[in-house]
């Protein structure tokens, strides 16, 4: 992992403790939890069954506190025990045990999901998978690892084989299982779209049934388990796609106006060979990043991870839209810095610098044009865009007033043609019918991450 990414991740993990923490004294113990813990200790050893209050509090939080709406609902659940298996083979035994004792069980990777996906809403056990981090095998175009393996370790291992991951999130050190179960995309999505679009070739999944026998699914059959927050089974191992490694470099450019910057972003997205990432920030965001000669805090910042042999073509694009190339910084530092300022990281940096913001995930090429009306919807709107060949996505950040204003504003943005995904609820909201159907057999007692599959009324809301 490079210094820039390591810094970003270290900050994230260190800040986790700052989130609101549940008050264990207010909750009733789940019936059977003591017997469950005693039997879990026989499977994992005493070190694998953690009842220490600080560890339980930490395992009860994720990055939901980025949402002022979710923050108001925290603490929202309390881990009574944290289970730490050290090999994927142990996971089915723990699921069978949870089934037998009727103990709610919430899987967890690094805990960086920002919709509260990893919060144990019904208490019970949190299954911390970070100890299951082995890379198991790799071949031409694929790598297979335990669910707790870090995305950064997968990329590093692939590089030793002359390959690289199709994609990884800006939280580079998070887990493979967490990224597949709670994340969407990242560096590499410019070409490869989301982690539901062919990235995953095989999953081994353990259901929460009496015998919890793991099963293997491939290609399109992996979809019910992706972005399902663990409600359809625990991913114990996963195989994801690699591509031949390329020599990447980081291009940093500055622009004075939105139209020129977005036109250059669109042109860079279609550069050949294709970039790995292309992001655009308003100057307001650049000012909250760590000062760097490649970033001009008074200008819009366009950044792209491009192949070394495309530098001249990229420079020509920037110049043709009256931009200024501030620096071309080779790997590892240039691309790592650009990745660490992508997707939800700008929101993180803004909120760290100043209180009072909220964010929405937005999409649509309408964001590339005149944003005057879009910016009238919420006070102090700031935009971060990611260029994709499948269409523009981004983050909209603005001053938080109250929950009603947020939902009214979402409707107003949609009326302007902006696609909006709200990060302010913890319900599974993709392929919901498929997830519900799959959960019926994979988790007949509803013990896996309970409370995340919406009932009809919540879905309507
Ligand atoms: C600042 C910031 C930037 C971010 N940038 C990105 C980004 O670029 N792209 C992106 O997609 N996301 C991003 N996210 C969201 C988050 O980082 C990703 O979802 C991340 O990859 C989650 O990994 P994790 O190991 O932290 O998983 P966790 O947060 O621990 O878990 C995520 C979900 O998956 C479930 N889960 C975990 N492991 C398993 C398993 N083995 N089997 C079944 N279910 C499981 C959990 O119960 C939870 O519901 C960002 C978040 C923050 C705070």
């Amino acid at each position: 992992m490079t210094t820039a990414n390591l810094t970003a991740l270290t900050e994230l993990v260190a800040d986790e403790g700052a989130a609101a923490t549940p008050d264990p004294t207010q909750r009733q113990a789940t019936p059977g939890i003591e017997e469950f813990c005693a039997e879990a200790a026989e499977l994992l050893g005493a070190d694998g069954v953690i009842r220490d209050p600080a560890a339980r509090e930490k395992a009860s939080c994720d990055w939901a506190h980025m949402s002022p709406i979710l923050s108001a609902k925290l603490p929202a659940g309390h881990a009574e025990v944290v289970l730490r298996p050290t090999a994927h083979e142990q996971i089915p035994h723990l699921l069978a045990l949870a089934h037998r004792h009727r103990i709610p069980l919430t899987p967890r990777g690094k805990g960086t999901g920002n919709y509260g996906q990893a919060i144990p809403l019904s208490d019970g056990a949190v299954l911390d998978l970070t100890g299951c981090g082995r890379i198991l095998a790799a071949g031409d175009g694929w790598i297979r690892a335990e669910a707790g393996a870090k995305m950064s370790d997968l990329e590093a291992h692939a590089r030793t084989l002359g390959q690289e991951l199709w994609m990884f999130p800006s939280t580079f050190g998070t887990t493979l299982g967490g990224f597949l179960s709670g994340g969407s995309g990242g560096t590499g999505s410019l070409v490869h779209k989301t982690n539901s679009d062919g990235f995953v070739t095989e999953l081994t999944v353990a259901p929460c049934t009496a015998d919890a026998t793991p099963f293997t699914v491939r290609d399109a059959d992996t979809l019910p388990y992706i972005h399902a927050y663990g409600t359809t089974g625990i991913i114990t191992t996963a195989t994801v796609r690699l591509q031949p490694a390329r020599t990447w470099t980081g291009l940093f450019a500055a622009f004075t106006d939105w139209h020129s910057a977005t036109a250059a972003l669109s042109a860079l997205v279609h550069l050949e060979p294709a970039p790995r990432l292309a992001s655009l920030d308003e100057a307001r965001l650049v000012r909250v990043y760590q000062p760097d000669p490649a970033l001009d805090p008074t200008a819009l910042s366009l950044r792209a991870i491009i192949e070394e042999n495309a530098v001249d073509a990229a420079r020509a694009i920037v110049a043709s839209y009256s931009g200024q190339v501030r620096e071309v910084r080779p790997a590892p530092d240039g691309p790592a810095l650009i990745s660490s300022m992508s997707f939800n990281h700008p929101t993180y940096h803004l909120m760290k610098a100043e209180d009072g913001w909220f964010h929405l995930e937005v999409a649509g090429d309408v964001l590339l044009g005149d944003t005057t009306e879009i910016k009238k919807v919420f006070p102090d709107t700031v935009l971060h865009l990611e260029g994709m060949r499948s269409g523009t996505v981004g983050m909209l950040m603005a001053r938080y007033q109250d929950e009603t204003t947020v939902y009214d504003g979402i409707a107003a943005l949609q009326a302007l043609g902006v696609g909006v995904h709200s990060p302010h609820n913890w319900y599974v909201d993709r392929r919901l019918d498929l997830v519900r159907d799959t959960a019926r057999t994979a988790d007949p007692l509803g013990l896996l991450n309970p409370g995340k599959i919406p009932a009809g009324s919540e879905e309507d809301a």
Side-chain angles (χ1 to χ4, degrees):
M1 191 195 284
T2 62
T3 315
N5 271 313
L6 185 60
T7 307
L9 183 71
T10 310
E11 284 177 358
L12 278 185
V13 172
D15 278 7
E16 259 175 71
T21 51
D23 176 2
T25 58
Q26 303 300 312
R27 321 276 297 203
Q28 295 259 319
T30 300
I33 193 78
E34 297 305 327
E35 296 81 350
F36 171 80
C37 289
E39 288 186 48
E42 284 169 24
L43 291 170
L44 300 179
D47 289 351
V49 181
I50 294 123
R51 309 219 55 197
D52 159 62
R56 289 190 284 128
E57 283 176 21
K58 193 166 177 195
S60 305
C61 304
D62 66 2
W63 277 71
H65 60 88
M66 283 181 87
S67 156
I69 295 174
L70 290 181
S71 280
K73 298 174 185 174
L74 300 174
H78 156 236
E80 293 164 89
V81 58
V82 183
L83 303 175
R84 286 204 184 129
T86 50
H88 72 270
E89 293 87 348
Q90 294 171 326
I91 299 170
H93 301 293
L94 295 170
L95 287 173
L97 197 60
H99 184 271
R100 183 145 50 84
H101 288 281
R102 310 290 194 262
I103 302 296
L105 189 139
T106 300
R108 180 180 180 89
K110 219 40 177 167
T112 64
N114 37 30
Y115 319 136
Q117 297 108 305
I119 294 178
L121 295 178
S122 298
D123 302 345
V126 163
L127 180 62
D128 174 347
L129 292 158
T130 51
C132 302
R134 281 178 300 161
I135 293 173
L136 300 169
D140 190 14
W142 60 273
I143 186 163
R144 179 166 174 264
E146 291 185 319
K150 292 179 187 173
M151 297 301 288
S152 48
D153 287 349
L154 297 186
E155 174 79 354
H157 186 80
R159 288 239 151 224
T160 66
L161 306 172
Q163 301 185 74
E164 62 188 26
L165 286 169
W166 263 27
M167 69 182 72
F168 56 81
S170 66
T171 46
F172 195 32
T174 55
T175 66
L176 174 61
F179 175 56
L180 299 183
S181 307
S184 294
T187 297
S189 289
L190 186 150
V191 170
H192 297 299
K193 304 183 196 166
T194 75
N195 56 15
S196 305
D197 293 301
F199 177 51
V200 185
T201 60
E202 189 178 286
L203 294 177
T204 304
V205 179
C208 191
T209 53
D211 59 5
T213 306
F215 55 87
T216 299
V217 284
R218 295 188 178 79
D219 302 322
D221 292 335
T222 60
L223 281 177
Y225 310 94
I226 299 177
H227 208 79
Y229 305 175
T231 58
T232 50
I234 307 299
I235 297 172
T236 64
T237 70
T239 306
V240 294
R241 281 193 202 277
L242 304 178
Q243 63 192 11
R246 264 111 21 106
T247 307
W248 298 108
T249 193
L251 176 112
F252 299 78
F255 287 81
T256 51
D257 73 280
W258 184 254
H259 288 283
S260 310
T262 56
L265 174 70
S266 301
L268 277 179
V269 164
H270 292 98
L271 184 69
E272 286 296 348
R276 209 176 185 191
L277 182 74
S279 313
L280 174 65
D281 279 325
E282 292 190 68
R284 179 73 185 78
L285 290 171
V286 182
R287 288 197 280 278
V288 299
Y289 297 143
Q290 191 146 4
D292 189 293
L295 303 171
D296 176 353
T298 66
L300 291 137
S301 166
L302 178 63
R303 306 175 291 269
I305 302 177
I306 56 174
E307 283 200 50
E308 241 172 36
N309 62 8
V311 168
D312 289 345
R315 280 185 182 278
I317 289 174
V318 171
S320 71
Y321 293 102
S322 311
Q324 185 211 352
V325 173
R326 287 185 64 90
E327 194 172 325
V328 174
R329 191 179 294 174
D333 292 352
L337 180 60
I338 292 174
S339 280
S340 76
M341 294 185 291
S342 67
F343 288 85
N344 213 17
H345 261 85
T347 320
Y348 162 71
H349 287 289
L350 183 65
M351 290 180 175
K352 195 170 157 72
E354 243 179 70
D355 287 338
W357 296 90
F358 78 101
H359 76 293
L360 295 173
E361 296 170 7
V362 290
D365 288 345
V366 64
L367 296 162
L368 300 171
D370 183 350
T371 55
T372 312
E373 293 306 312
I374 291 171
K375 290 195 149 216
K376 282 183 191 161
V377 172
F378 293 113
D380 292 346
T381 293
V382 193
L383 289 168
H384 165 85
L385 298 187
E386 299 291 347
M388 305 276 168
R389 290 206 168 161
S390 53
T392 309
V393 301
M395 298 289 165
L396 180 153
M397 298 141 229
R399 293 280 169 197
Y400 183 64
Q401 293 165 298
D402 53 47
E403 188 169 354
T404 310
T405 317
V406 170
Y407 292 119
D408 290 348
I410 289 176
L413 287 172
Q414 286 169 334
L416 293 169
V418 180
V420 182
H421 175 257
S422 166
H424 305 293
N425 74 69
W426 40 52
Y427 300 115
V428 174
D429 55 5
R430 277 189 218 157
R431 297 179 284 274
L432 200 43
D433 290 340
L434 190 57
V435 168
R436 279 203 179 103
D437 276 357
T438 310
R440 248 173 237 129
T441 43
D443 179 27
L445 301 179
L447 295 169
L448 292 180
N449 205 352
K452 303 296 164 49
I453 299 182
S457 55
E458 284 141 0
E459 205 174 326
D460 294 344

